[in-house]
Amino acid sequence: IGTGGTRTPLHFDSYDNLFVQLVGTKYVRLYHPDETNKLYVLHKNNNNNSSSYSRQGNMCALDCELENYNLHPLARDATFTE
């Protein structure tokens, strides 16, 4: 349950789940697991990641709303479904 305007960084869920939106709208991007190497996953054992997100091992460094292809060039070729 979230409030309006909540944004979740690009990540993958560790468990299967079902998404239900009761009120409002949500933008979702789905990437096939084969695209993982293009999504700059923040690994929990990477000491360069000071974010608490990186400690979970399931978050990505990409900002899907403002992709920086100079910083993440492989992301340009990652295909997704909306």
Side-chain angles (χ1 to χ4, degrees):
I1 298 176
T3 59
T6 301
R7 296 175 190 260
T8 304
L10 182 61
H11 68 283
F12 64 90
D13 291 335
S14 302
Y15 301 98
D16 292 340
N17 56 63
L18 176 67
F19 174 77
V20 176
Q21 181 79 30
L22 298 177
V23 177
T25 60
K26 178 132 184 146
Y27 174 74
V28 177
R29 280 188 178 183
L30 298 175
Y31 290 87
H32 190 275
D34 291 346
E35 301 294 323
T36 301
N37 66 330
K38 301 173 187 171
L39 300 178
Y40 299 88
V41 175
L42 299 172
H43 298 285
K44 55 185 163 187
N45 62 352
N46 184 341
N47 293 330
N48 293 331
N49 296 316
S50 59
S51 168
S52 62
Y53 288 131
S54 66
R55 290 187 215 126
Q56 298 174 38
N58 68 336
M59 306 303 282
C60 296
L62 298 177
D63 182 341
C64 289
E65 296 180 53
L66 298 168
E67 284 107 341
N68 181 341
Y69 295 124
N70 292 322
L71 187 59
H72 304 113
L74 297 176
R76 184 182 305 275
D77 297 323
T79 57
F80 58 88
T81 301
E82 295 180 316

